[in-house]
């Protein structure tokens, strides 16, 4: 398949879960892929495997909450691949797991720094790079169904994901008004089988996982990272050339209830 042939993509949080699945899929579709993460021991082998299979991949250590890191990572991607056509802002952390009155300001700010400020910084620097490269590109910001619906004990996380949704819409309109062909969309995964979700849902007796799957997932199963990656690929590709400022929900029907 060649849906991204000739394109260069930067994917954050690419060492595991949705980011890793997206990097593998993008490479299989012809893209040169820069993978960034803090988990070097997990991320480097993903890039190495893509290269061994005949693809083009670069791994970069990256704290998405640091603007200096964004400048360095973007510069390295441009130097290696000659441009950036796609950015996937996927890196994120789980919430505090506390009710709003019990959430410390420090914990709140940590979630904001990674999940929202990191997406802001990535969107900012990608738009600059894409404009300099001719004014074309696709930015896919990974939000969540918790950016659309409420759930107790997720205040900080949900606030960041709702922010990602509206940041994406604002940036999309700005790019259109500036006369560019840069598209910005958000993806809203439901409960997906990733390490972060597993950590949040595990309990000694398995009751928490069973309750979530039973109540939140009409089909009775978690999504796979590959399910989300396919949606991200669509938004990144030219097939979605008329999709801009949109929200793509991939949740197995969870929010249809």
């Amino acid at each position: 398949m060649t849906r991204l042939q000739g394109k260069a993509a930067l994917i954050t949080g690419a060492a595991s879960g949705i980011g890793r699945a997206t990097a593998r899929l993008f490479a299989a579709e012809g893209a040169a892929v820069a993978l960034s993460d803090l988990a070097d021991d997990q991320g480097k082998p993903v890039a190495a495997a893509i290269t061994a299979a005949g693809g083009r991949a670069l791994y970069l250590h990256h704290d998405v909450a640091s603007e200096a890191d964004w400048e360095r990572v973007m510069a390295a991607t441009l130097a290696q691949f000659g441009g950036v056509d796609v950015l996937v802002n996927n890196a994120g952390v789980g919430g505090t797991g506390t009710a709003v009155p019990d959430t410390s300001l420090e914990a709140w700010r940590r979630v904001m720094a990674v999940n929202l400020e990191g997406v802001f910084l990535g969107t900012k620097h990608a738009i600059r790079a894409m404009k300099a490269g001719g004014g074309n590109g696709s930015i896919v910001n990974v939000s969540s169904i918790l950016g659309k619906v409420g759930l107790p004990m997720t205040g900080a996380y949900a606030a960041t994901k709702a922010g990602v949704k509206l940041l994406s819409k604002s940036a999309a309109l700005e790019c259109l008004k500036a006369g560019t062909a840069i598209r910005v969309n958000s993806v809203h995964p439901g409960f997906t089988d990733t390490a972060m979700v597993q950590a949040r849902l595990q309990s000694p007796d398995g009751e928490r996982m069973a309750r979530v799957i039973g109540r939140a997932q009409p089909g009775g199963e978690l999504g796979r990272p590959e399910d989300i990656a396919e949606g991200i690929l669509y938004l990144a590709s030219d097939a979605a050339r008329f999709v801009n400022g949109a929200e793509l929900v991939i949740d197995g029907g969870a929010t249809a209830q």
Side-chain angles (χ1 to χ4, degrees):
M1 302 292 286
T2 57
R3 285 177 283 181
L4 295 180
Q5 191 66 43
K7 296 185 184 294
L10 170 59
I11 303 169
T12 69
S16 62
I18 292 169
R20 178 174 61 195
T22 301
R24 290 170 171 169
L25 181 59
F26 276 26
E29 293 288 343
V33 184
L35 304 85
S36 81
D37 209 298
L38 288 174
D40 300 346
D41 290 346
Q42 298 177 61
K44 289 179 180 179
V46 179
I50 290 172
T51 302
R56 298 176 64 197
L58 169 70
Y59 177 78
L60 298 161
H61 184 83
H62 187 189
D63 176 1
V64 296
S66 164
E67 185 154 27
D69 263 24
W70 269 107
E71 291 169 347
R72 175 181 54 79
V73 165
M74 192 63 69
T77 302
L78 295 173
Q80 183 78 9
F81 300 135
V84 58
D85 303 290
V86 180
L87 169 67
V88 180
N89 273 314
N90 167 73
V93 294
T96 62
T98 56
V100 171
D102 302 320
T103 302
S104 70
L105 183 58
E106 179 183 14
W108 171 275
R109 285 177 171 168
R110 176 178 176 272
V111 179
M112 291 289 157
V114 176
N115 290 5
L116 185 53
E117 292 175 15
V119 173
F120 154 68
L121 289 170
T123 302
K124 169 184 174 177
H125 287 284
I127 289 173
R128 288 181 175 182
M130 290 171 179
K131 282 183 176 179
N136 294 284
S138 174
I139 298 171
V140 183
N141 293 328
V142 179
S143 178
S144 167
I145 59 170
L146 293 182
K148 299 176 69 65
V149 298
L151 189 69
M153 316 296 276
T154 66
Y157 184 83
T160 63
K161 294 304 184 177
V164 166
K165 175 182 67 177
L166 291 179
L167 169 64
S168 301
K169 292 179 183 297
S170 295
L173 292 174
E174 290 170 2
C175 289
L176 284 170
K177 297 292 185 181
T180 76
I182 300 169
R183 298 179 292 107
V184 188
N185 294 288
S186 59
V187 170
H188 298 258
F191 292 101
T192 306
D193 191 7
T194 64
M196 185 170 73
V197 171
Q198 288 283 353
R200 290 291 172 183
L201 297 185
Q202 288 297 339
S203 58
D205 58 2
E207 188 271 339
R208 186 181 302 165
M209 178 72 76
R211 184 174 68 249
V212 168
I213 293 176
R215 294 181 182 177
Q217 295 300 129
E221 63 175 344
L222 297 177
R224 301 171 302 160
E226 292 77 13
D227 297 325
I228 315 305
E230 288 287 352
I232 294 172
L233 171 63
Y234 166 67
L235 292 175
S237 75
D238 293 338
R241 67 164 198 89
F242 203 56
V243 182
N244 203 1
E247 307 162 34
L248 177 58
V249 178
I250 310 174
D251 69 353
T255 55
Q257 301 179 96

